[in-house]
Amino acid sequence: MDMLIGGKHISSEDLEDVVNPYNGEVIDTVPIAHRQTVDLAIAEANNAKESLCEMSAFKVSNKLFNVVEKLKANREDFAGLLTSEVGKPINESLVEMDRSIETLKLAAEEAKRIYGESVPLDAGLNGKGFFAFTQRLPLGVVAAITPFNYPLNLTIHKIAPAIACKNMVIVKPPTEAPLTVMKFCELLNEEFPDGVVNTVTGYGSEVGDHLVTSPDINKISFTGSITTGMMISQKAGMKKVTLELGGNDPMIVFADADIDKAVKGVINGAFLNAGQVCMGVKRIIADNEIAEEFAEKLVLETEKLVMGDPSDSKTTLGTLISEKAAMQVEETVNNAVSDGAKILTGGTRDGAFYEATVIDNVTPEMDLVINETFGPVAPIIRVNDVDEAIKVANETDYGLQAGVFTNDYALAMRCAQEIEAGTVFVNKQSTFRTDNMPFGGFKSSGVGKEGIKYAVEEMTKTKLIGLNLR
Ligand code: NAP
């Protein structure tokens, strides 16, 4: 599939295969762009400024709603493509499609709500006699750099609010899974003037880096790993930057918790998308009093997962993005076992598949839980009391989301206040998000928020206009 730049299809002499991680088949090829092509995309995006800014908010909103209808009409085709490029079970791809449609719809609605506010200058010294108000204005060109795990919805979380507030966009999709995003941008381009949305494929180290350092890009909206995010923040200079980075989310299960509910939470939280979820349950912190019962029930439910062909609707555990990624998970789990952890079920790799794995006797010092393990692994850390549970939950550089299971709401509130994370859910695993909520981590998990309304705030600048009426 070609890139889309200024409304034209552009290729390159260098091509990269997009491979289905389940069967190794080449699905398609994409161009490997170099710096010159990125410069062309930046120029085309800047050229589209006038035609986009001339559109009324009414028109922008209607056009986004038109794309919503197109995406709905192509839901199954897009889901099939998602499954083949990411290896996620088809039912999960259909859920990603439904969320993508919802995210786009939220942006179409938000396009009509880009408000400023009146500002009482007379509340400040010498401010009497003014009528003042603010406007929220577009920033210019937004570069959206996105990861492989939820390639479509996470990219729509950037493109859609950007266009809703009249920014042009250059999308750099993940090299391993670029196709659904590129196809979606074609739909957008049918509605908006050429150059409003552009795609550039190629390696992050060249294409991504050039977008980050270019003086003609006004905003970087990045979702991906902490390592890349840190590099971007060092290189972006004066540009506005939003960073949605990795997670290492805790789930605390207290002695009074509804164990079945907590087990269900882990099945979703640790194994969804083969554990490749930023807000996945990465550390289960279980009270010693119930840890045994909890682990037994968790093993029983884990063994019910069906690993297999991701395009089969009975499959509940697909592949990881690549064999290399599965090997990394295997190595991390094996190291934890060498250090004293005990596999209760799973622990075996087959190509890009890694079994759903429950691992007990994990300690906070193990790499398995110090770093983000991006695979289907549920590590159990046993603790003796509330203080220890909260301490372990916070003993991490990450702070994306967290879940606390208890029926004691005073205890739940204490945890919610003391856990350092962007979101704390009570009686729900961290692996939950609605697309309108403010989403974004504390500590190394990120800078800024997404969730359409919040993304619009990060993609606009505020101008104050003051009329001296005296
Ligand atoms: P990644 O390796 O950081 O890649 C993300 C994107 O950045 C890709 O498009 C990549 O391009 C590009 N990139 C790589 N090096 C770059 C550079 N030097 N400059 C600019 N861009 C560069 O992340 P990933 O492995 O795809 O995704 C997994 C990570 O994303 C996990 O840590 C996960 O927790 C995190 N994540 C966070 C959220 C959130 O909302 N907080 C959501 C989903 C995922 P290439 O593909 O060409 O390398």
Side-chain angles (χ1 to χ4, degrees), residues 145-150 154 172-176 202-205 207-209 212 222-226 228-229 231-232 244-247 277-279 282 372 374 400 433 439 445 450:
I145 305 176
T146 54
F148 72 83
N149 60 338
Y150 286 85
L154 293 177
K172 150 65 187 105
T175 299
E176 283 163 316
Y203 304 126
S205 50
V207 170
D209 185 76
V212 169
F222 172 78
T223 299
S225 63
I226 290 185
T228 313
M231 213 145 51
I232 289 175
E244 299 286 345
L245 308 180
V277 185
C278 57
M279 55 185 179
K282 303 280 165 53
E372 178 188 38
F374 223 45
L400 191 51
R433 171 185 187 183
F439 181 81
S445 284
E450 291 194 335

mmCIF file of all heavy atoms in Angstrom, residues 145-150 154 172-176 202-205 207-209 212 222-226 228-229 231-232 244-247 277-279 282 372 374 400 433 439 445 450, ligand 1:
data_model
loop_
_atom_site.group_PDB
_atom_site.id
_atom_site.type_symbol
_atom_site.label_atom_id
_atom_site.label_comp_id
_atom_site.label_asym_id
_atom_site.label_seq_id
_atom_site.Cartn_x
_atom_site.Cartn_y
_atom_site.Cartn_z
ATOM 1 N N ILE A 145 2.570 9.725 15.917
ATOM 2 C CA ILE A 145 3.475 8.561 15.824
ATOM 3 C C ILE A 145 2.902 7.483 16.747
ATOM 4 O O ILE A 145 2.724 7.727 17.945
ATOM 5 C CB ILE A 145 4.916 8.950 16.251
ATOM 6 C CG1 ILE A 145 5.403 10.148 15.423
ATOM 7 C CG2 ILE A 145 5.858 7.763 16.109
ATOM 8 C CD1 ILE A 145 6.775 10.683 15.833
ATOM 9 N N THR A 146 2.614 6.310 16.179
ATOM 10 C CA THR A 146 1.776 5.367 16.929
ATOM 11 C C THR A 146 2.329 3.938 16.960
ATOM 12 O O THR A 146 3.126 3.551 16.105
ATOM 13 C CB THR A 146 0.352 5.365 16.317
ATOM 14 O OG1 THR A 146 0.460 5.106 14.908
ATOM 15 C CG2 THR A 146 -0.340 6.691 16.513
ATOM 16 N N PRO A 147 1.863 3.140 17.957
ATOM 17 C CA PRO A 147 2.396 1.789 18.168
ATOM 18 C C PRO A 147 1.544 0.705 17.506
ATOM 19 O O PRO A 147 0.481 0.985 16.963
ATOM 20 C CB PRO A 147 2.316 1.652 19.688
ATOM 21 C CG PRO A 147 1.058 2.366 20.037
ATOM 22 C CD PRO A 147 0.898 3.485 19.035
ATOM 23 N N PHE A 148 2.045 -0.544 17.617
ATOM 24 C CA PHE A 148 1.417 -1.646 16.870
ATOM 25 C C PHE A 148 0.222 -2.271 17.569
ATOM 26 O O PHE A 148 -0.570 -2.959 16.930
ATOM 27 C CB PHE A 148 2.478 -2.745 16.629
ATOM 28 C CG PHE A 148 2.823 -3.501 17.885
ATOM 29 C CD1 PHE A 148 2.029 -4.556 18.313
ATOM 30 C CD2 PHE A 148 3.920 -3.161 18.672
ATOM 31 C CE1 PHE A 148 2.322 -5.249 19.489
ATOM 32 C CE2 PHE A 148 4.224 -3.834 19.838
ATOM 33 C CZ PHE A 148 3.410 -4.882 20.243
ATOM 34 N N ASN A 149 0.070 -2.082 18.886
ATOM 35 C CA ASN A 149 -0.840 -2.988 19.604
ATOM 36 C C ASN A 149 -2.328 -2.701 19.392
ATOM 37 O O ASN A 149 -3.130 -3.618 19.292
ATOM 38 C CB ASN A 149 -0.481 -3.062 21.087
ATOM 39 C CG ASN A 149 -0.550 -1.741 21.798
ATOM 40 O OD1 ASN A 149 -0.478 -0.673 21.173
ATOM 41 N ND2 ASN A 149 -0.692 -1.777 23.100
ATOM 42 N N TYR A 150 -2.693 -1.407 19.340
ATOM 43 C CA TYR A 150 -4.064 -1.024 18.940
ATOM 44 C C TYR A 150 -3.896 0.023 17.849
ATOM 45 O O TYR A 150 -4.198 1.200 18.052
ATOM 46 C CB TYR A 150 -4.857 -0.486 20.143
ATOM 47 C CG TYR A 150 -5.273 -1.597 21.074
ATOM 48 C CD1 TYR A 150 -4.413 -2.054 22.065
ATOM 49 C CD2 TYR A 150 -6.496 -2.239 20.912
ATOM 50 C CE1 TYR A 150 -4.758 -3.116 22.886
ATOM 51 C CE2 TYR A 150 -6.857 -3.302 21.725
ATOM 52 C CZ TYR A 150 -5.987 -3.734 22.712
ATOM 53 O OH TYR A 150 -6.334 -4.793 23.507
ATOM 54 N N LEU A 154 -5.787 3.793 18.543
ATOM 55 C CA LEU A 154 -4.841 4.745 19.148
ATOM 56 C C LEU A 154 -4.450 5.843 18.163
ATOM 57 O O LEU A 154 -4.164 6.974 18.559
ATOM 58 C CB LEU A 154 -3.600 4.007 19.660
ATOM 59 C CG LEU A 154 -3.870 3.068 20.835
ATOM 60 C CD1 LEU A 154 -2.607 2.327 21.236
ATOM 61 C CD2 LEU A 154 -4.421 3.827 22.043
ATOM 62 N N LYS A 172 2.636 8.698 11.224
ATOM 63 C CA LYS A 172 3.717 7.711 11.041
ATOM 64 C C LYS A 172 3.245 6.462 11.786
ATOM 65 O O LYS A 172 3.336 6.366 13.007
ATOM 66 C CB LYS A 172 5.019 8.295 11.618
ATOM 67 C CG LYS A 172 6.032 7.325 12.173
ATOM 68 C CD LYS A 172 6.642 6.393 11.150
ATOM 69 C CE LYS A 172 7.509 5.351 11.859
ATOM 70 N NZ LYS A 172 6.876 4.033 11.927
ATOM 71 N N PRO A 173 2.679 5.483 11.025
ATOM 72 C CA PRO A 173 2.163 4.276 11.690
ATOM 73 C C PRO A 173 3.311 3.328 12.047
ATOM 74 O O PRO A 173 4.422 3.481 11.538
ATOM 75 C CB PRO A 173 1.250 3.664 10.622
ATOM 76 C CG PRO A 173 1.799 4.142 9.318
ATOM 77 C CD PRO A 173 2.502 5.454 9.570
ATOM 78 N N PRO A 174 3.024 2.336 12.894
ATOM 79 C CA PRO A 174 4.075 1.376 13.256
ATOM 80 C C PRO A 174 4.489 0.537 12.044
ATOM 81 O O PRO A 174 3.623 0.116 11.261
ATOM 82 C CB PRO A 174 3.392 0.493 14.310
ATOM 83 C CG PRO A 174 1.926 0.636 14.044
ATOM 84 C CD PRO A 174 1.728 2.010 13.520
ATOM 85 N N THR A 175 5.754 0.281 11.896
ATOM 86 C CA THR A 175 6.238 -0.478 10.736
ATOM 87 C C THR A 175 5.664 -1.897 10.717
ATOM 88 O O THR A 175 5.378 -2.439 9.653
ATOM 89 C CB THR A 175 7.785 -0.514 10.750
ATOM 90 O OG1 THR A 175 8.235 0.846 10.666
ATOM 91 C CG2 THR A 175 8.357 -1.291 9.591
ATOM 92 N N GLU A 176 5.453 -2.482 11.902
ATOM 93 C CA GLU A 176 4.957 -3.862 11.922
ATOM 94 C C GLU A 176 3.468 -3.968 11.562
ATOM 95 O O GLU A 176 3.017 -5.003 11.106
ATOM 96 C CB GLU A 176 5.199 -4.487 13.303
ATOM 97 C CG GLU A 176 6.650 -4.898 13.504
ATOM 98 C CD GLU A 176 7.001 -5.132 14.964
ATOM 99 O OE1 GLU A 176 6.593 -4.309 15.802
ATOM 100 O OE2 GLU A 176 7.671 -6.125 15.249
ATOM 101 N N GLY A 202 7.876 3.974 7.164
ATOM 102 C CA GLY A 202 9.342 3.889 7.218
ATOM 103 C C GLY A 202 9.743 3.751 8.671
ATOM 104 O O GLY A 202 8.887 3.663 9.549
ATOM 105 N N TYR A 203 11.031 3.721 8.894
ATOM 106 C CA TYR A 203 11.501 3.403 10.237
ATOM 107 C C TYR A 203 11.412 4.600 11.183
ATOM 108 O O TYR A 203 11.708 5.732 10.802
ATOM 109 C CB TYR A 203 12.933 2.881 10.185
ATOM 110 C CG TYR A 203 13.054 1.683 9.268
ATOM 111 C CD1 TYR A 203 13.989 1.659 8.236
ATOM 112 C CD2 TYR A 203 12.196 0.592 9.411
ATOM 113 C CE1 TYR A 203 14.076 0.564 7.383
ATOM 114 C CE2 TYR A 203 12.272 -0.505 8.562
ATOM 115 C CZ TYR A 203 13.206 -0.513 7.549
ATOM 116 O OH TYR A 203 13.277 -1.580 6.700
ATOM 117 N N GLY A 204 11.032 4.301 12.410
ATOM 118 C CA GLY A 204 10.924 5.343 13.422
ATOM 119 C C GLY A 204 12.217 6.120 13.572
ATOM 120 O O GLY A 204 12.207 7.350 13.717
ATOM 121 N N SER A 205 13.339 5.389 13.507
ATOM 122 C CA SER A 205 14.637 6.030 13.731
ATOM 123 C C SER A 205 14.945 7.080 12.662
ATOM 124 O O SER A 205 15.720 8.002 12.899
ATOM 125 C CB SER A 205 15.739 4.978 13.763
ATOM 126 O OG SER A 205 15.610 4.157 12.620
ATOM 127 N N VAL A 207 12.209 8.253 9.855
ATOM 128 C CA VAL A 207 10.988 9.017 9.562
ATOM 129 C C VAL A 207 10.455 9.693 10.835
ATOM 130 O O VAL A 207 10.172 10.895 10.846
ATOM 131 C CB VAL A 207 9.921 8.058 8.970
ATOM 132 C CG1 VAL A 207 8.572 8.739 8.880
ATOM 133 C CG2 VAL A 207 10.367 7.580 7.614
ATOM 134 N N GLY A 208 10.348 8.906 11.917
ATOM 135 C CA GLY A 208 9.841 9.448 13.177
ATOM 136 C C GLY A 208 10.754 10.547 13.688
ATOM 137 O O GLY A 208 10.311 11.632 14.068
ATOM 138 N N ASP A 209 12.049 10.257 13.648
ATOM 139 C CA ASP A 209 13.034 11.218 14.156
ATOM 140 C C ASP A 209 12.972 12.533 13.379
ATOM 141 O O ASP A 209 13.064 13.618 13.955
ATOM 142 C CB ASP A 209 14.432 10.594 14.042
ATOM 143 C CG ASP A 209 15.488 11.482 14.671
ATOM 144 O OD1 ASP A 209 15.559 11.494 15.909
ATOM 145 O OD2 ASP A 209 16.207 12.185 13.923
ATOM 146 N N VAL A 212 10.035 14.537 14.457
ATOM 147 C CA VAL A 212 10.234 15.083 15.804
ATOM 148 C C VAL A 212 11.133 16.320 15.770
ATOM 149 O O VAL A 212 10.919 17.288 16.505
ATOM 150 C CB VAL A 212 10.846 13.991 16.726
ATOM 151 C CG1 VAL A 212 11.323 14.578 18.044
ATOM 152 C CG2 VAL A 212 9.826 12.886 16.975
ATOM 153 N N PHE A 222 2.569 11.310 20.518
ATOM 154 C CA PHE A 222 3.244 10.003 20.434
ATOM 155 C C PHE A 222 2.621 9.001 21.391
ATOM 156 O O PHE A 222 2.345 9.323 22.550
ATOM 157 C CB PHE A 222 4.734 10.181 20.784
ATOM 158 C CG PHE A 222 5.468 8.866 20.920
ATOM 159 C CD1 PHE A 222 5.864 8.158 19.785
ATOM 160 C CD2 PHE A 222 5.753 8.326 22.165
ATOM 161 C CE1 PHE A 222 6.529 6.943 19.895
ATOM 162 C CE2 PHE A 222 6.418 7.106 22.291
ATOM 163 C CZ PHE A 222 6.811 6.428 21.143
ATOM 164 N N THR A 223 2.410 7.794 20.928
ATOM 165 C CA THR A 223 2.087 6.675 21.818
ATOM 166 C C THR A 223 3.068 5.559 21.521
ATOM 167 O O THR A 223 3.257 5.170 20.357
ATOM 168 C CB THR A 223 0.633 6.175 21.604
ATOM 169 O OG1 THR A 223 -0.259 7.244 21.886
ATOM 170 C CG2 THR A 223 0.297 5.020 22.535
ATOM 171 N N GLY A 224 3.697 5.049 22.571
ATOM 172 C CA GLY A 224 4.672 3.969 22.377
ATOM 173 C C GLY A 224 5.459 3.741 23.655
ATOM 174 O O GLY A 224 4.994 4.035 24.758
ATOM 175 N N SER A 225 6.665 3.225 23.488
ATOM 176 C CA SER A 225 7.456 2.814 24.656
ATOM 177 C C SER A 225 8.093 4.020 25.357
ATOM 178 O O SER A 225 8.274 5.089 24.752
ATOM 179 C CB SER A 225 8.555 1.851 24.203
ATOM 180 O OG SER A 225 9.423 2.531 23.318
ATOM 181 N N ILE A 226 8.474 3.809 26.598
ATOM 182 C CA ILE A 226 9.128 4.867 27.369
ATOM 183 C C ILE A 226 10.460 5.247 26.721
ATOM 184 O O ILE A 226 10.803 6.430 26.628
ATOM 185 C CB ILE A 226 9.340 4.409 28.833
ATOM 186 C CG1 ILE A 226 7.975 4.333 29.533
ATOM 187 C CG2 ILE A 226 10.277 5.344 29.587
ATOM 188 C CD1 ILE A 226 8.028 4.021 31.001
ATOM 189 N N THR A 228 11.415 5.237 23.570
ATOM 190 C CA THR A 228 11.237 6.141 22.433
ATOM 191 C C THR A 228 10.686 7.483 22.908
ATOM 192 O O THR A 228 11.115 8.542 22.439
ATOM 193 C CB THR A 228 10.279 5.509 21.386
ATOM 194 O OG1 THR A 228 10.668 4.166 21.156
ATOM 195 C CG2 THR A 228 10.302 6.265 20.083
ATOM 196 N N GLY A 229 9.748 7.439 23.849
ATOM 197 C CA GLY A 229 9.142 8.671 24.357
ATOM 198 C C GLY A 229 10.171 9.613 24.961
ATOM 199 O O GLY A 229 10.144 10.831 24.744
ATOM 200 N N MET A 231 13.336 9.742 24.235
ATOM 201 C CA MET A 231 14.168 10.259 23.149
ATOM 202 C C MET A 231 13.440 11.428 22.470
ATOM 203 O O MET A 231 14.022 12.476 22.198
ATOM 204 C CB MET A 231 14.375 9.142 22.125
ATOM 205 C CG MET A 231 15.699 9.168 21.441
ATOM 206 S SD MET A 231 16.286 7.513 21.115
ATOM 207 C CE MET A 231 14.962 6.695 20.308
ATOM 208 N N ILE A 232 12.145 11.244 22.250
ATOM 209 C CA ILE A 232 11.355 12.287 21.586
ATOM 210 C C ILE A 232 11.342 13.556 22.439
ATOM 211 O O ILE A 232 11.529 14.659 21.930
ATOM 212 C CB ILE A 232 9.919 11.777 21.308
ATOM 213 C CG1 ILE A 232 9.962 10.735 20.186
ATOM 214 C CG2 ILE A 232 8.964 12.921 20.960
ATOM 215 C CD1 ILE A 232 8.650 10.057 19.873
ATOM 216 N N GLU A 244 2.100 9.253 25.379
ATOM 217 C CA GLU A 244 1.318 8.179 26.021
ATOM 218 C C GLU A 244 2.216 6.949 26.012
ATOM 219 O O GLU A 244 2.395 6.319 24.965
ATOM 220 C CB GLU A 244 0.022 7.914 25.235
ATOM 221 C CG GLU A 244 -0.925 9.105 25.150
ATOM 222 C CD GLU A 244 -1.642 9.386 26.459
ATOM 223 O OE1 GLU A 244 -1.640 8.521 27.356
ATOM 224 O OE2 GLU A 244 -2.203 10.485 26.591
ATOM 225 N N LEU A 245 2.784 6.616 27.172
ATOM 226 C CA LEU A 245 3.874 5.629 27.186
ATOM 227 C C LEU A 245 3.477 4.330 27.891
ATOM 228 O O LEU A 245 2.303 4.096 28.157
ATOM 229 C CB LEU A 245 5.118 6.271 27.802
ATOM 230 C CG LEU A 245 5.520 7.610 27.169
ATOM 231 C CD1 LEU A 245 6.766 8.174 27.836
ATOM 232 C CD2 LEU A 245 5.732 7.478 25.663
ATOM 233 N N GLY A 246 4.463 3.543 28.189
ATOM 234 C CA GLY A 246 4.214 2.201 28.722
ATOM 235 C C GLY A 246 3.589 2.207 30.104
ATOM 236 O O GLY A 246 3.543 3.220 30.805
ATOM 237 N N GLY A 247 3.102 1.030 30.485
ATOM 238 C CA GLY A 247 2.499 0.865 31.808
ATOM 239 C C GLY A 247 3.039 -0.382 32.486
ATOM 240 O O GLY A 247 3.645 -1.248 31.842
ATOM 241 N N VAL A 277 -0.889 -4.789 26.021
ATOM 242 C CA VAL A 277 -1.786 -3.670 26.305
ATOM 243 C C VAL A 277 -1.071 -2.761 27.300
ATOM 244 O O VAL A 277 -0.590 -3.239 28.337
ATOM 245 C CB VAL A 277 -3.122 -4.159 26.924
ATOM 246 C CG1 VAL A 277 -4.097 -3.000 27.099
ATOM 247 C CG2 VAL A 277 -3.751 -5.256 26.094
ATOM 248 N N CYS A 278 -0.999 -1.461 26.985
ATOM 249 C CA CYS A 278 -0.272 -0.557 27.888
ATOM 250 C C CYS A 278 -0.880 -0.557 29.280
ATOM 251 O O CYS A 278 -0.180 -0.498 30.284
ATOM 252 C CB CYS A 278 -0.265 0.855 27.321
ATOM 253 S SG CYS A 278 -1.916 1.499 27.024
ATOM 254 N N MET A 279 -2.228 -0.654 29.350
ATOM 255 C CA MET A 279 -2.902 -0.606 30.656
ATOM 256 C C MET A 279 -3.262 -2.026 31.119
ATOM 257 O O MET A 279 -4.187 -2.211 31.905
ATOM 258 C CB MET A 279 -4.143 0.280 30.567
ATOM 259 C CG MET A 279 -5.086 -0.153 29.478
ATOM 260 S SD MET A 279 -6.470 0.987 29.302
ATOM 261 C CE MET A 279 -7.343 0.225 27.936
ATOM 262 N N LYS A 282 -0.233 -5.989 34.969
ATOM 263 C CA LYS A 282 1.150 -6.473 34.856
ATOM 264 C C LYS A 282 1.676 -6.989 36.197
ATOM 265 O O LYS A 282 2.686 -7.670 36.244
ATOM 266 C CB LYS A 282 2.069 -5.357 34.348
ATOM 267 C CG LYS A 282 1.649 -4.744 33.009
ATOM 268 C CD LYS A 282 2.070 -5.594 31.834
ATOM 269 C CE LYS A 282 1.378 -5.211 30.552
ATOM 270 N NZ LYS A 282 1.429 -3.843 30.151
ATOM 271 N N GLU A 372 8.173 -3.361 31.965
ATOM 272 C CA GLU A 372 6.884 -3.734 31.371
ATOM 273 C C GLU A 372 7.074 -5.027 30.577
ATOM 274 O O GLU A 372 7.811 -5.039 29.584
ATOM 275 C CB GLU A 372 6.437 -2.601 30.450
ATOM 276 C CG GLU A 372 5.145 -2.844 29.731
ATOM 277 C CD GLU A 372 4.855 -1.757 28.690
ATOM 278 O OE1 GLU A 372 5.799 -1.280 28.028
ATOM 279 O OE2 GLU A 372 3.671 -1.395 28.547
ATOM 280 N N PHE A 374 5.606 -7.238 27.990
ATOM 281 C CA PHE A 374 4.543 -7.049 26.992
ATOM 282 C C PHE A 374 4.136 -8.403 26.412
ATOM 283 O O PHE A 374 4.440 -8.739 25.263
ATOM 284 C CB PHE A 374 5.054 -6.094 25.908
ATOM 285 C CG PHE A 374 4.046 -5.052 25.493
ATOM 286 C CD1 PHE A 374 3.309 -4.344 26.433
ATOM 287 C CD2 PHE A 374 3.821 -4.784 24.143
ATOM 288 C CE1 PHE A 374 2.378 -3.382 26.056
ATOM 289 C CE2 PHE A 374 2.893 -3.822 23.754
ATOM 290 C CZ PHE A 374 2.164 -3.125 24.718
ATOM 291 N N LEU A 400 0.531 4.348 34.951
ATOM 292 C CA LEU A 400 -0.550 4.552 33.977
ATOM 293 C C LEU A 400 -1.908 4.385 34.657
ATOM 294 O O LEU A 400 -2.604 5.367 34.928
ATOM 295 C CB LEU A 400 -0.368 3.582 32.799
ATOM 296 C CG LEU A 400 -1.241 3.819 31.564
ATOM 297 C CD1 LEU A 400 -1.171 5.252 31.096
ATOM 298 C CD2 LEU A 400 -0.863 2.878 30.433
ATOM 299 N N ARG A 433 -11.031 1.355 29.649
ATOM 300 C CA ARG A 433 -10.977 2.752 29.230
ATOM 301 C C ARG A 433 -12.208 3.037 28.394
ATOM 302 O O ARG A 433 -12.591 2.212 27.558
ATOM 303 C CB ARG A 433 -9.722 2.944 28.373
ATOM 304 C CG ARG A 433 -9.629 4.277 27.697
ATOM 305 C CD ARG A 433 -8.417 4.356 26.771
ATOM 306 N NE ARG A 433 -8.282 5.714 26.282
ATOM 307 C CZ ARG A 433 -7.370 6.122 25.411
ATOM 308 N NH1 ARG A 433 -6.483 5.264 24.940
ATOM 309 N NH2 ARG A 433 -7.315 7.376 25.033
ATOM 310 N N PHE A 439 -7.231 10.211 29.658
ATOM 311 C CA PHE A 439 -6.378 9.031 29.724
ATOM 312 C C PHE A 439 -4.926 9.446 29.571
ATOM 313 O O PHE A 439 -4.570 10.129 28.609
ATOM 314 C CB PHE A 439 -6.765 8.060 28.598
ATOM 315 C CG PHE A 439 -5.951 6.798 28.590
ATOM 316 C CD1 PHE A 439 -6.256 5.756 29.441
ATOM 317 C CD2 PHE A 439 -4.860 6.657 27.742
ATOM 318 C CE1 PHE A 439 -5.505 4.588 29.446
ATOM 319 C CE2 PHE A 439 -4.095 5.491 27.740
ATOM 320 C CZ PHE A 439 -4.430 4.463 28.592
ATOM 321 N N SER A 445 5.088 7.130 32.756
ATOM 322 C CA SER A 445 4.079 6.615 31.813
ATOM 323 C C SER A 445 3.538 7.680 30.873
ATOM 324 O O SER A 445 2.746 7.358 29.983
ATOM 325 C CB SER A 445 2.925 5.944 32.565
ATOM 326 O OG SER A 445 3.331 4.686 33.028
ATOM 327 N N GLU A 450 -5.060 12.084 26.691
ATOM 328 C CA GLU A 450 -5.922 11.897 25.521
ATOM 329 C C GLU A 450 -7.338 11.606 26.011
ATOM 330 O O GLU A 450 -7.613 11.669 27.208
ATOM 331 C CB GLU A 450 -5.374 10.767 24.639
ATOM 332 C CG GLU A 450 -4.084 11.179 23.971
ATOM 333 C CD GLU A 450 -3.646 10.268 22.832
ATOM 334 O OE1 GLU A 450 -4.034 9.085 22.809
ATOM 335 O OE2 GLU A 450 -2.902 10.745 21.961
HETATM 336 P P1 NAP B 1 7.773 1.887 20.087
HETATM 337 O O1 NAP B 1 8.812 0.899 19.721
HETATM 338 O O2 NAP B 1 8.159 2.989 20.989
HETATM 339 O O3 NAP B 1 7.189 2.444 18.702
HETATM 340 C C1 NAP B 1 6.126 3.340 18.651
HETATM 341 C C2 NAP B 1 6.239 4.188 17.394
HETATM 342 O O4 NAP B 1 7.397 5.020 17.498
HETATM 343 C C3 NAP B 1 6.406 3.377 16.111
HETATM 344 O O5 NAP B 1 5.690 3.992 15.078
HETATM 345 C C4 NAP B 1 7.907 3.468 15.880
HETATM 346 O O6 NAP B 1 8.280 3.269 14.532
HETATM 347 C C5 NAP B 1 8.175 4.887 16.314
HETATM 348 N N1 NAP B 1 9.582 5.174 16.636
HETATM 349 C C6 NAP B 1 10.573 4.304 16.930
HETATM 350 N N2 NAP B 1 11.740 4.964 17.146
HETATM 351 C C7 NAP B 1 11.476 6.288 16.978
HETATM 352 C C8 NAP B 1 12.266 7.471 17.058
HETATM 353 N N3 NAP B 1 13.558 7.435 17.347
HETATM 354 N N4 NAP B 1 11.661 8.666 16.839
HETATM 355 C C9 NAP B 1 10.344 8.733 16.556
HETATM 356 N N5 NAP B 1 9.548 7.631 16.447
HETATM 357 C C10 NAP B 1 10.104 6.426 16.658
HETATM 358 O O7 NAP B 1 6.527 1.153 20.767
HETATM 359 P P2 NAP B 1 5.789 -0.191 20.321
HETATM 360 O O8 NAP B 1 6.665 -1.352 20.625
HETATM 361 O O9 NAP B 1 5.239 -0.040 18.949
HETATM 362 O O10 NAP B 1 4.528 -0.200 21.296
HETATM 363 C C11 NAP B 1 4.532 -0.774 22.554
HETATM 364 C C12 NAP B 1 4.701 0.258 23.649
HETATM 365 O O11 NAP B 1 3.696 1.265 23.531
HETATM 366 C C13 NAP B 1 4.522 -0.330 25.023
HETATM 367 O O12 NAP B 1 5.471 0.228 25.887
HETATM 368 C C14 NAP B 1 3.111 0.105 25.408
HETATM 369 O O13 NAP B 1 2.870 0.136 26.794
HETATM 370 C C15 NAP B 1 3.069 1.468 24.795
HETATM 371 N N6 NAP B 1 1.686 1.905 24.611
HETATM 372 C C16 NAP B 1 1.225 2.953 25.366
HETATM 373 C C17 NAP B 1 -0.112 3.339 25.267
HETATM 374 C C18 NAP B 1 -0.668 4.480 26.068
HETATM 375 O O14 NAP B 1 -1.716 5.005 25.665
HETATM 376 N N7 NAP B 1 -0.061 4.883 27.158
HETATM 377 C C19 NAP B 1 -0.947 2.663 24.380
HETATM 378 C C20 NAP B 1 -0.430 1.610 23.629
HETATM 379 C C21 NAP B 1 0.890 1.241 23.748
HETATM 380 P P3 NAP B 1 8.755 1.815 14.025
HETATM 381 O O15 NAP B 1 7.557 0.936 14.124
HETATM 382 O O16 NAP B 1 9.198 2.066 12.641
HETATM 383 O O17 NAP B 1 9.865 1.378 14.938
#
